[in-house]
Amino acid sequence: MRTPFSYVREAWKVARALRDPYRLQDILDVARLLAPPSTMRKLVDRLMQSPTTAQAFVERPRVGKLALDTLQSLPEGTLGRAFADHLKDNGLDPSKLPNLQAHTHEDYVRAHLLESHDIWHVLTGFRSDVAGELGIQAFSLAQVGSPFALGILAGGLTNTLLYAFAERDVRMQAITRGWVLGHMALPVFGAPWRDMWEHPLEEVRQRFGLDLDAVDAVLPALAPPVRTHAARRVAA
């Protein structure tokens, strides 16, 4: 049963996340508010409408534990090497992420999106700042229709208004780029990333229709401030 104290505590976490977008645990907690069970069921129903994403609920691929030393020993230009470099460059420790169980379809969506978040950053080229994070959430919203992604975008724009108005242009540019990339690309939800570590990154991007050069050519002003291989981790 919810108590008045629990509502106050959740409101405080939302306020802290709005002020500091890098508070991972607060953002993970806010995710539970933005995507309650009823909303997650609707999201699953929507994903089931696509044969590609529906198959993911049958096979349920997971990223699982990462052998970073092994990934970093892969040739430069591979997905696994780029992903490992990105984690190292940003000081990210995947072992510190919650190990979410996936007993239901709704659980699987949460777990897979959380595990895949930084892989999506590598695929799309968004860097490790607030603008890049908003860009990846716009990509997620276009791809999956996640209410959490929309909530993060709303929070990011609120943060921009209250605390970082000077960043409005670069953040809006990143959101636009992510939205366009998400709509142009094939579905990336449910992809078996572990099977693709040794594949060239550009080949993986082509597989999913992620033509970064084409998008950046259409939106030339966006490429310099938002594109890089690095990314900061926030739940999807």
Side-chain angles (χ1 to χ4, degrees):
M1 181 177 179
R2 305 294 293 279
T3 66
F5 177 74
S6 67
Y7 286 108
V8 172
R9 182 176 56 194
E10 290 165 357
W12 174 243
K13 288 181 179 179
V14 171
R16 288 196 307 186
L18 286 176
R19 186 173 183 85
D20 182 1
Y22 293 129
R23 295 186 67 94
L24 173 59
Q25 189 55 56
D26 283 346
I27 292 175
L28 289 173
D29 291 340
V30 170
R32 300 183 183 94
L33 300 178
L34 297 175
S38 59
T39 301
M40 291 303 297
R41 284 192 292 272
K42 293 178 181 178
L43 179 56
V44 169
D45 290 342
R46 186 159 57 249
L47 291 171
M48 286 286 195
Q49 294 175 8
S50 165
T52 301
T53 51
Q55 186 63 25
F57 292 102
V58 177
E59 300 175 353
R60 291 198 176 186
R62 297 288 299 270
V63 175
K65 292 184 179 180
L66 295 170
L68 293 183
D69 291 342
T70 300
L71 292 180
Q72 283 199 300
S73 69
L74 292 174
E76 288 191 18
T78 59
L79 173 64
R81 174 65 179 272
F83 181 59
D85 287 346
H86 138 73
L87 293 177
K88 180 180 179 181
D89 291 346
N90 288 278
L92 298 173
D93 183 357
S95 67
K96 293 183 178 180
L97 271 184
N99 182 23
L100 300 184
Q101 300 300 308
H103 301 298
T104 67
H105 289 333
E106 291 80 10
D107 290 342
Y108 176 70
V109 172
R110 292 184 188 276
H112 183 74
L113 290 179
L114 179 62
E115 292 179 341
S116 301
H117 178 83
D118 284 315
I119 300 173
W120 289 16
H121 266 289
V122 172
L123 290 175
T124 57
F126 281 110
R127 68 188 185 188
S128 57
D129 55 8
V130 175
E133 190 55 52
L134 293 177
I136 205 66
Q137 295 302 329
F139 177 83
S140 178
L141 182 61
Q143 279 270 310
V144 182
S146 166
F148 173 76
L150 183 58
I152 292 298
L153 288 170
L157 291 176
T158 301
N159 171 272
T160 305
L161 175 63
L162 297 178
Y163 307 111
F165 194 67
E167 297 293 315
R168 64 192 182 279
D169 288 343
V170 67
R171 293 183 182 186
M172 287 304 301
Q173 289 172 347
I175 291 172
T176 302
R177 182 177 183 269
W179 181 255
V180 172
L181 278 172
H183 275 289
M184 290 182 63
L186 298 174
V188 297
F189 173 82
W193 302 119
R194 292 181 68 89
D195 297 340
M196 291 183 268
W197 290 141
E198 298 181 9
H199 294 199
L201 174 58
E202 289 305 320
E203 178 183 293
V204 177
R205 283 173 172 164
Q206 292 174 13
R207 170 175 174 173
F208 292 102
L210 282 162
D211 191 339
L212 306 193
D213 291 333
V215 172
D216 291 338
V218 174
L219 306 171
L222 310 190
V226 300
R227 185 171 172 180
T228 179
H229 74 278
R232 189 181 185 99
R233 181 184 304 276
V234 173

